[in-house]
Amino acid sequence: MKKQIEVFIRHCYYSKLQELPDRTRPSWFNKIKVFENFKNTLNPDLINYTIVYDEFYGSINKTFLYQEKNVEIIKCGSECDSFLETLKTIQSRNFDDEQIIYLLEDDYLHRSGWSDIVLEGFALNPHYLTLYDFDFFIAKGYLCEIFTTPSSHWRAVPATTNTFACKYKTLIEDFEIHQKYSINGVKEEEGFHFSKDYDKFWELQKQQRYLISPMPGWSTHCDENHISPIIDWKKVMYDTYTKEQKETFALKYL
């Protein structure tokens, strides 16, 4: 059934990026709870979601996702390659031009009501939208326009991560730029490959493709160094995690 927002959420059994010294998780972080937060906070009348699962380091059957139905299996082993494969998957679906696509990484937490906020944001007619209030741009001297919708303030921002939303038409028109910054991503050594997403959005801005972000955020990257400000995200996670289950899956998946 057609929904207004199609989400493509990338998961993997293990990411070598977690071994980098600047990657620190909040003490409350747990991928099982984050995924349950995603499902418990979305509006099912607005959202379809597809899991793009990278089995390079381990089978999906070893994880809490083993019973999920709508899954695309890939074997990549790096963030760059998994993003590129996700782009190909989306392109192959041939959505309507106005279909909203939300590309989502597996370590983003959401506040209840975020699906409706996405629609509010697109009423402002941006090219790109993020629900993440990226703290990097706070008090850094960037001039920006401020907008309002019924439930949120928004600001224009120059860049974000590889978790973002746009219309299918926009994604296809900018397809080569999205590919370029993953094909030519940071490649420190085998497995430690990640997209230059920050640089990508700066280039898109030069092409007059504009990005907006809500204040405060309706999602956060679960990176201890860059949590969306103001919101108590630990409380958000526990308030929206209602499923009691035994967490018996491999610890390295977390």
Side-chain angles (χ1 to χ4, degrees):
M1 180 180 175
K2 178 177 170 55
K3 303 288 179 70
Q4 289 179 271
I5 304 169
E6 288 281 347
V7 181
F8 289 82
I9 179 170
R10 288 189 289 151
H11 271 270
C12 62
Y13 184 77
Y14 177 66
S15 172
K16 288 182 71 66
L17 297 182
Q18 293 311 309
E19 298 174 21
L20 295 175
D22 65 338
R23 304 300 170 98
T24 305
R25 295 298 193 190
S27 60
W28 43 261
F29 177 76
N30 179 289
K31 273 195 177 178
I32 298 174
K33 292 182 174 66
V34 168
F35 183 62
E36 290 300 319
N37 159 272
F38 165 73
K39 293 197 295 183
N40 291 334
T41 56
L42 63 79
N43 181 340
D45 294 329
L46 300 178
I47 299 287
N48 278 326
Y49 70 86
T50 300
I51 296 168
V52 181
Y53 186 83
D54 189 351
E55 283 197 334
F56 185 88
Y57 288 107
S59 168
I60 194 172
N61 294 325
K62 297 179 181 179
T63 77
F64 55 87
L65 300 169
Y66 72 100
Q67 291 183 314
E68 289 291 325
K69 304 298 182 186
N70 196 14
V71 178
E72 294 277 346
I73 298 295
I74 59 176
K75 292 184 185 295
C76 294
S78 76
E79 189 280 329
C80 289
D81 291 336
S82 71
F83 182 75
L84 290 167
E85 285 301 313
T86 301
L87 288 178
K88 291 178 185 177
T89 296
I90 297 169
Q91 183 184 43
S92 71
R93 300 287 180 92
N94 292 316
F95 292 111
D96 295 338
D97 283 352
E98 295 300 305
Q99 177 66 59
I100 295 171
I101 308 294
Y102 183 23
L103 292 97
L104 176 61
E105 295 163 284
D106 60 6
D107 55 355
Y108 277 72
L109 197 63
H110 293 79
R111 294 162 60 195
S112 294
W114 64 267
S115 313
D116 301 273
I117 295 300
V118 169
L119 297 186
E120 282 192 22
F122 275 104
L124 296 170
N125 201 31
H127 297 99
Y128 292 91
L129 177 153
T130 175
L131 295 172
Y132 176 34
D133 188 8
F134 193 6
D135 73 325
F136 185 82
F137 299 116
I138 296 172
K140 290 289 180 73
Y142 294 101
L143 296 176
C144 64
E145 291 187 73
I146 304 296
F147 311 91
T148 60
T149 58
S151 306
S152 182
H153 282 78
W154 300 78
R155 61 175 172 158
V157 290
T160 190
T161 66
N162 258 345
T163 286
F164 61 89
C166 63
K167 292 185 178 179
Y168 182 70
K169 178 183 179 181
T170 303
L171 187 68
I172 297 305
E173 289 175 347
D174 297 341
F175 204 78
E176 290 184 2
I177 293 177
H178 286 288
Q179 287 181 311
K180 180 174 76 171
Y181 284 90
S182 291
I183 292 172
N184 301 314
V186 177
K187 299 181 178 180
E188 297 183 356
E189 59 181 272
E190 189 62 34
F192 293 99
H193 301 176
F194 53 94
S195 304
K196 295 179 180 178
D197 43 14
Y198 181 85
D199 295 339
K200 171 175 69 179
F201 279 98
W202 276 101
E203 177 169 339
L204 287 167
Q205 182 177 233
K206 290 178 182 177
Q207 302 294 327
Q208 297 186 323
R209 303 299 235 182
Y210 298 116
L211 166 70
I212 62 172
S213 169
M215 303 181 295
W218 286 78
S219 77
T220 189
H221 188 196
C222 293
D223 179 340
E224 183 67 35
N225 300 312
H226 298 288
I227 296 290
S228 287
I230 298 176
I231 305 300
D232 183 345
W233 292 104
K234 179 179 180 180
K235 184 176 188 299
V236 167
M237 187 179 73
Y238 283 102
D239 285 351
T240 56
Y241 178 66
T242 59
K243 182 178 179 181
E244 294 295 329
Q245 64 184 68
K246 294 181 180 179
E247 297 172 7
T248 58
F249 304 100
L251 286 177
K252 66 179 179 180
Y253 181 73
L254 305 175

